[in-house]
Amino acid sequence: MSVFKKLRNEYVMWHANRVKLPTFTPGHIVRKNVAFSGKVQKVGFRLEIYCIARRMKLTGWVRNLKDGSVEAEIQGEESHIDFLVHCMQSLKRASVKNVIIIDVPIKEGEESFTVVE
């Protein structure tokens, strides 16, 4: 791993751990497929999603797509997912131009959030 990437990843994890999580009222569990387009690769976008999703106890996965966008399937309380999407849209080191959110079926028994390479 390059020195630059290591420093960027350390910064991303520091930033993600400093995001102030609001107090959520309990809601129902949903699963959403979310596609982010714009300048979202090579800026620590997947790592930021991963860190915040883990902090909020969401499950699912995130991956880069060949067209330069980032796709995630996120499962958890809807208010948590909405908060995560909003965080990513307001991320200063990225430039999210478009977000497409599609409801997908819940995956029973899923226990973690992963980065798909």
Side-chain angles (χ1 to χ4, degrees), residues 21-86:
L21 302 179
T23 303
F24 295 100
T25 52
H28 63 287
I29 302 298
V30 298
R31 186 175 187 90
K32 305 222 180 227
N33 179 283
V34 186
F36 298 92
S37 60
K39 175 77 172 129
V40 294
Q41 289 191 15
K42 300 192 185 324
V43 294
F45 201 83
R46 287 179 304 160
L47 182 56
E48 184 101 10
I49 289 175
Y50 170 81
C51 290
I52 295 172
R54 296 283 300 240
R55 283 183 62 202
M56 295 196 315
K57 311 234 182 317
L58 298 170
T59 63
W61 51 263
V62 61
R63 68 179 173 193
N64 282 342
L65 297 178
K66 290 180 182 176
D67 67 1
S69 61
V70 171
E71 177 186 33
E73 272 200 12
I74 309 165
Q75 182 167 301
E77 292 186 31
E78 192 162 24
S79 59
H80 290 64
I81 296 170
D82 292 344
F83 177 80
L84 175 57
V85 170
H86 175 74

Side-chain angles (χ1 to χ4, degrees), residues 96-116:
V96 177
K97 299 291 185 204
N98 194 27
V99 179
I100 299 170
I101 302 173
I102 301 168
D103 292 327
V104 293
I106 291 173
K107 289 197 175 166
E108 299 295 336
E110 188 174 61
E111 295 181 5
S112 64
F113 196 91
T114 60
V115 175
V116 179

